[in-house]
Amino acid sequence: MTLLAIDNLTKVFGGVRAVDGVSFSLEAGELLAMIGPNGAGKSTCFNMVNGQLAPDSGRIVLAGVDIGGLPPHDIWRRGVGRTFQVAATFSSMKAIENVQMALISRQSRIGRLWKPAARYAREEAQALLRRVGMAEQAERPCGVLAYGDVKRVELAIALAGAPKLLLMDEPTAGMAPGERNALMALTREIAHDSGVGVLFTEHSMDVVFGYADRIIVLARGRLIAQGDPRGVRNDPRVREVYFDARHRVIGASE
Ligand code: ADP
Ligand code: MG
């Protein structure tokens, strides 16, 4: 089932066509990587999907509804969740309390706060922490957790919003390779098992080619290639863009 359909999306800043007629789609349960050199338009695209930016033109259709230009809170309410690049957990609170807070915020979103919220949230929070492999550490403050474990709690917090679509901006930034692989393996398992669609950006090509079901490639605001990891890796346009980008960076530092 098509969860997200982006059609001819465009955003111009001054004279810069940051996102220029981009179209792609994402299926429920799919892990889709968006890659491209710095300035390619990845963040701008993400920020239109999560509502922080309104598109100049084009459509963002989530489960049949055009959400383009709606305010962020509305878009979140309709099932678009996100994790944050910088650790967003409260470090003095226990892991489980962080997840409970997210659950209670969702209950208020769907008008269920009259339920015995705290107890309900506690059981569900425990289940979410189990899902991300953090049940044993539920009672520890986030501030004492290893970085990779904080990232797992952040994933549980994002899942507490019951998203249909999860946006992950460089989820493995700052992580050691072993932790990276474990987090992406977990994310992929959750996507495949629960039907949550995941759109992520990522610098590590090992992570992208190792875990994405499909990859889309942006360069200068345009979508230049898409396909499965093998097809994208061998695509001459992609090789050219990455070679060019590296070349410029080397040139700039000389
Ligand atoms: P990426 O995330 O792929 O590195 P961005 O979406 O951040 O790319 O940027 C795409 C282009 O849009 C760049 O040329 C960037 O300088 C420009 N841009 C992004 N945000 C703004 C903004 N708020 N105002 C002006 N220009 C912007
Ligand atoms: Mg960016």
Side-chain angles (χ1 to χ4, degrees), residues 2 4 23-27 30-35 188 192 198-200 208-209 211-217 223 225-230 232:
T2 298
L4 178 72
S23 302
F24 66 89
S25 65
L26 187 157
E27 304 295 305
E30 187 178 35
L31 196 58
L32 179 66
M34 178 186 282
I35 66 171
R188 184 159 81 165
H192 291 182
V198 179
L199 178 63
F200 73 108
V208 169
F209 289 109
Y211 293 97
D213 294 316
R214 215 153 48 83
I215 300 171
I216 57 181
V217 188
L223 195 148
Q226 60 179 315
D228 62 20
R230 183 196 294 258
V232 166

Side-chain angles (χ1 to χ4, degrees), residues 4 65 124 138 197 223 225 248:
L4 178 72
V65 177
E124 198 173 337
L223 195 148
R248 272 202 301 277

Side-chain angles (χ1 to χ4, degrees), residues 13-14 16-19 36-45 53 201 218 221:
F13 294 115
V16 178
R17 301 186 76 79
V19 174
N38 277 340
K42 304 181 297 294
S43 294
T44 304
C45 230
L53 287 173
T201 64
L218 297 188

Side-chain angles (χ1 to χ4, degrees), residues 104-140:
I104 287 168
S105 141
R106 175 183 118 217
Q107 286 172 345
S108 71
R109 171 181 90 188
I110 57 178
R112 266 169 50 185
L113 208 56
W114 51 270
K115 280 215 162 192
R119 172 143 184 255
Y120 166 79
R122 192 174 164 83
E123 284 164 15
E124 198 173 337
Q126 191 67 42
L128 282 168
L129 287 174
R130 201 175 312 121
R131 187 71 191 86
V132 300
M134 288 295 293
E136 311 277 273
Q137 306 200 62
E139 303 298 329
R140 302 183 71 199

Side-chain angles (χ1 to χ4, degrees), residues 29 131-132 155 159 166 185-196 198:
R131 187 71 191 86
V132 300
L155 183 57
L159 293 172
L166 187 57
L186 172 67
T187 304
R188 184 159 81 165
E189 194 183 293
I190 288 171
H192 291 182
D193 290 357
S194 66
V196 175
V198 179

